[in-house]
Amino acid sequence: MSTSSPHHPRWPRPAEWPVWVVPLLIQPIQIIGSFGAQRGRDDHGPPWLQEEAVNSAFAPLNGWGIALLIAGPALLLFRRRYPRQTLVAVAAVTATYILADHAPGPVFLSLCVALVAAVVAGHRLLAWAGTVVTLAGMLGITWLLGGDDPLPVSKPEWGGSTMVVGWALVVLTGAELVRMRSTQLAERARARAEEARRQASEERLRMARELHDVLAHNISMINVQAGVALHLMDDDPQQARTALAAIKEASKEALTEMRSVIGALRAQGETAPRSPTAGLSRLEELLDRARNAGLPVTAKTEGDQRPLPAGTDLAAYRIVQESLTNVSRHAGPGPVTAEVRIAYGEHEISIQVDDDGRGVSLLDDHAGTGSGIRGMRERATALGGSFTAGARPGGGFRVRATLPIADEPEREAQ
């Protein structure tokens, strides 16, 4: 029984956080940090003995400035639904705060978050062009009009301007890296979803094939034996009884195998099916049912008989089962006999089912009739093997499949 490794909880990425978490973290940092930026130190004595004093180089932080510090993080609540509008609004709030000559401090945090949100959302041109235009406009306006009249903000210095431009480039570059990472994660998620859909489709096809093989074989046996029972009911009651017993056995087998196949869909925690998995180990049971249904069948095994991989074992069993079903249904008027040959090779196993019936035209491989031949071919080719079906020399029909086998049989993980 296979066991999965324990699941370790993963810390959610920032994109998975509730939208209010980042504004809630940024707002106190901006307010407390801006008040701290208002404080300065005197120039007397060593730093650890200096006393804090109000920094007169900037305007005091009043109610208007505090409102702007609150407005920036509050606007970030809309960054996921309206990233472009949020970026423009936060940039306007930040510019107004700077032009009011308040100490910069951490007021740029809201603008950095808005830039990242816009770039990740795909609005790269707006983020880059808007940053260039805003910085150029701010630096140009403060350079031309900065001072006491008409703008209280001081003229920019080359060192400070260079640092602002550098930080803007760092933020935009980081935003591009975040966008690339988000794109990669989204692509991986889409690939996983597509793989899951493909596997689900293949599983549905496999189960449909299993149900077809189970039902086709047993219902065909039931149909043949029911006809025999009806025909001999009055003339030979004992033989009719034998046919009815075969019907009971075939119906029981059909129900058992259907439970086994559908059990793959059972809910987690339910017990596994108690019936053994279909495979060549149950070949004699299959042949006995065919004989009880009135089909004389012989079997011959060649080579070193050994366990097979689960998929190969099941495919070989189903090919024999479907071949015998086709003999019962399409071989024509009796008496009809069948022969099953299983040959174990070093790297492959061959399955051959011959009959001497006269209904060859109904099963000709080139006629493409029915889904039984197609299902057997799909099983063989899915494992990388080969499959042929058609009239055999001297009359009758032959089904032959060759399935590759690994050096070691597949085993369930313990």
Side-chain angles (χ1 to χ4, degrees), residues 322-337:
E322 182 63 26
S323 299
L324 295 178
T325 300
N326 288 337
V327 173
S328 299
R329 296 172 60 185
H330 303 299
V336 177
T337 61

Side-chain angles (χ1 to χ4, degrees), residues 201-324:
S201 177
E202 290 181 352
E203 181 65 14
R204 286 193 296 270
L205 178 61
R206 185 191 68 81
M207 295 197 67
R209 187 186 298 122
E210 288 293 309
L211 288 175
H212 168 269
D213 291 346
V214 170
L215 292 176
H217 174 75
N218 290 284
I219 297 302
S220 295
M221 294 298 180
I222 291 172
N223 180 65
V224 171
Q225 289 304 305
V228 172
L230 288 174
H231 181 70
L232 299 175
M233 183 69 71
D234 297 327
D235 299 334
D236 192 349
Q238 184 60 36
Q239 186 64 29
R241 181 185 296 273
T242 302
L244 290 174
I247 290 175
K248 179 181 178 181
E249 183 65 24
S251 61
K252 178 183 177 181
E253 180 68 19
L255 289 174
T256 301
E257 292 209 31
M258 282 184 62
R259 291 192 187 101
S260 179
V261 173
I262 298 176
L265 299 177
R266 68 187 185 277
Q268 185 176 5
E270 292 185 6
T271 58
R274 293 184 176 89
S275 60
T277 304
L280 291 182
S281 61
R282 300 178 61 191
L283 180 61
E284 281 302 320
E285 299 178 23
L286 177 62
L287 300 180
D288 288 340
R289 289 198 302 271
R291 295 182 185 113
N292 292 335
L295 175 63
V297 55
T298 59
K300 183 178 180 181
T301 302
E302 301 173 353
D304 182 18
Q305 188 173 354
R306 61 188 184 276
L308 300 174
T312 304
D313 199 20
L314 176 61
Y317 179 87
R318 294 301 186 200
I319 289 173
V320 175
Q321 183 184 56
E322 182 63 26
S323 299
L324 295 178

Side-chain angles (χ1 to χ4, degrees), residues 83-84 115-127 176 179:
R84 292 178 298 178
L115 277 171
V116 173
V119 171
V120 171
H123 307 295
R124 304 168 60 197
L125 179 60
L126 173 66
E176 290 290 348
R179 181 191 64 81

Side-chain angles (χ1 to χ4, degrees), residues 18 37 62 65 68 100 127 157 161-162 187 226 229 262 265 271 295 332 338 347 369 375-376 387 389:
N62 52 21
L68 292 174
E157 299 179 353
S161 301
T162 302
E187 184 61 31
I262 298 176
L265 299 177
T271 58
L295 175 63
H347 300 293
T369 59
M376 289 188 286
F387 177 86

